[in-house]
Amino acid sequence: MLPLISAKPQNLSPPLSFHFPLFPSSPTSSLSFHPPLKNTLRLRIRSVDAAQPYDYESHLRTQHFKSQSLKIAILGFGNFGQFLAKTFSRQGHTLLAYSRTKYTDTAKSLGVTFYNNPDDLFESHPEVVILCTSILSTEKVLQTLPFQRLKRSTLFVDVLSVKEFAKTILLKYLPVEIGNEEDRISRAERFLDVFAKEGCRMVEMTCAEHDRHAAGSQFVTHTMGRVLERFGLESSPINTKGYDTLLDLVEVTAGDSFELYYGLFMYNKNAMEQLERLDMAFEAIKKELFGKLHHVYRKQLFGNADEGVEDRPKVQKLLHNGAPPSADAVKPETS
């Protein structure tokens, strides 16, 4: 209610009248007080309805927003940690970070509170802790963390590119899973919702399934990118779209450390198989190319003398006992 005060001199000396609304929503209800004054000045205070500086719907939206926000700690604030921080910050989550390298200024620019040691960070009781360390250093980092300073319900998340290894070491140092507790399940779902809001497609699978797929996609991609980088792939005035794609691949993979690539190889048991398959595929292509080249050389040397002979495959059938036939039994096919 907005009070309006008016002053008007009078010849008479009536009592001073104050009108106070009993309830903000009821401007007609008031309380009057008449002190015995004999002044010639009469004061009247009236009230009128006015919009309150309170938006209930906005309040509900704010409360819902806060209920969905999380306090997230990022361990390892390198390129990927900073990338995640930008997304988390945009969605309104409270962010904390720790890294061996001091990123105080970078963290501040992203709205992240940076800590110089994990003890102070863990005493802030984050709801979620994300391990953004390299594959090779993850176990060493876990060995140094002061877990006793955290709440038991803290959710730990890894973003490693290998999952069977991650599962093994997390169960070794943090032998507590999400379980069936409603608040823990809710926290995990709220965290996953962060990525769903950004348009990510969430695919649920086992750690073994992930590593098998990752070896056939991520490891192969990194391998080809590094091979082309060593090859010295460079842009030219007549680039095709396919060639530009290869240049982009080199640029992306070259931005990652060799430590990451080595971790993909070392801690994914499927990586060696993929490497061998790549090697066999390359050798098969070379063999096919050199085979064609050999045919061209023979034609240049001998003309058409053996035309038709090389082109017709020799069929060698096994005997019933599994042994190959004798030499004179092998004859070229005739038309």
Side-chain angles (χ1 to χ4, degrees):
M1 309 303 292
L2 181 64
L4 297 179
I5 304 176
S6 63
K8 184 177 181 180
Q10 302 288 337
N11 295 327
L12 303 176
S13 57
L16 186 64
S17 178
F18 295 94
H19 298 276
F20 300 101
L22 295 180
F23 301 99
S25 61
S26 179
T28 59
S29 302
S30 61
L31 176 66
S32 297
F33 175 64
H34 302 272
L37 298 178
K38 297 182 179 180
N39 297 332
T40 59
L41 180 65
R42 183 178 182 181
L43 294 178
R44 290 184 180 179
I45 301 177
R46 294 188 177 93
S47 59
V48 296
D49 264 332
Q52 299 298 309
Y54 180 81
D55 186 339
Y56 186 66
E57 292 183 359
S58 176
H59 175 71
L60 288 179
R61 286 195 297 268
T62 302
Q63 289 297 104
H64 176 73
F65 187 75
K66 288 182 178 179
S67 69
Q68 296 301 309
S69 65
L70 293 164
K71 181 185 283 189
I72 303 174
I74 301 174
L75 301 184
F77 205 58
N79 291 336
F80 194 67
Q82 293 173 29
F83 167 75
L84 290 178
K86 293 176 183 178
T87 300
F88 298 154
S89 178
R90 186 168 59 248
Q91 294 190 15
H93 300 285
T94 302
L95 301 178
L96 320 173
Y98 164 73
S99 189
R100 289 177 299 177
T101 304
K102 291 187 177 181
Y103 292 102
T104 307
D105 294 337
T106 302
K108 185 177 180 180
S109 67
L110 296 174
V112 180
T113 302
F114 189 84
Y115 290 83
N116 293 319
N117 64 76
D119 293 83
D120 291 340
L121 185 149
F122 279 19
E123 285 181 350
S124 297
H125 294 160
E127 297 173 271
V128 181
V129 176
I130 305 179
L131 297 172
C132 287
T133 54
S134 68
I135 299 173
L136 301 182
S137 65
T138 297
E139 185 168 14
K140 186 181 295 185
V141 170
L142 285 172
Q143 291 172 343
T144 63
L145 295 179
F147 297 115
Q148 71 279 5
R149 302 186 186 277
L150 291 171
K151 292 183 178 180
R152 295 181 60 217
S153 61
T154 305
L155 174 65
F156 267 77
V157 179
D158 81 275
V159 293
L160 302 185
S161 298
V162 290
K163 293 305 177 190
E164 287 194 283
F165 168 72
K167 176 183 176 181
T168 300
I169 61 172
L170 286 175
L171 289 177
K172 178 180 178 181
Y173 295 98
L174 297 164
V176 179
E177 297 181 336
I178 294 175
N180 297 321
E181 295 183 22
E182 186 175 344
D183 60 333
R184 295 189 178 192
I185 295 175
S186 174
R187 182 177 301 177
E189 290 177 346
R190 284 156 56 200
F191 178 76
L192 291 175
D193 192 50
V194 172
F195 300 92
K197 289 178 179 178
E198 296 298 318
C200 297
R201 183 171 59 92
M202 313 305 292
V203 180
E204 186 173 346
M205 64 180 64
T206 65
C207 295
E209 289 173 333
H210 172 275
D211 284 3
R212 185 172 64 254
H213 291 304
S217 58
Q218 188 177 16
F219 178 72
V220 170
T221 300
H222 275 263
T223 299
M224 296 309 300
R226 291 189 176 277
V227 167
L228 293 174
E229 181 188 16
R230 297 289 180 90
F231 176 75
L233 208 65
E234 295 180 350
S235 182
S236 74
I238 55 172
N239 286 3
T240 62
K241 290 185 177 180
Y243 193 76
D244 284 334
T245 301
L246 293 180
L247 290 172
D248 291 340
L249 174 62
V250 172
E251 182 179 0
V252 170
T253 53
D256 292 320
S257 65
F258 188 82
E259 184 182 40
L260 168 63
Y261 178 61
Y262 178 71
L264 294 174
F265 172 75
M266 182 69 179
Y267 293 101
N268 189 335
K269 64 182 181 181
N270 305 284
M272 177 62 78
E273 177 187 351
Q274 297 299 325
L275 197 61
E276 291 175 348
R277 289 183 61 192
L278 283 171
D279 187 51
M280 289 187 294
F282 187 63
E283 289 298 323
I285 291 175
K286 286 171 56 179
K287 184 177 180 180
E288 185 176 357
L289 287 173
F290 292 154
K292 294 285 186 181
L293 185 62
H294 176 71
H295 179 66
V296 171
Y297 283 157
R298 284 187 61 86
K299 192 171 184 178
Q300 290 177 351
L301 291 173
F302 304 107
N304 297 327
D306 54 357
E307 184 176 354
V309 177
E310 292 293 329
D311 294 335
R312 294 176 183 149
K314 294 181 175 64
V315 179
Q316 185 178 24
K317 298 181 179 179
L318 296 177
L319 301 177
H320 293 295
N321 60 5
S326 59
D328 56 350
V330 178
K331 298 179 180 179
E333 286 187 343
T334 58
S335 56

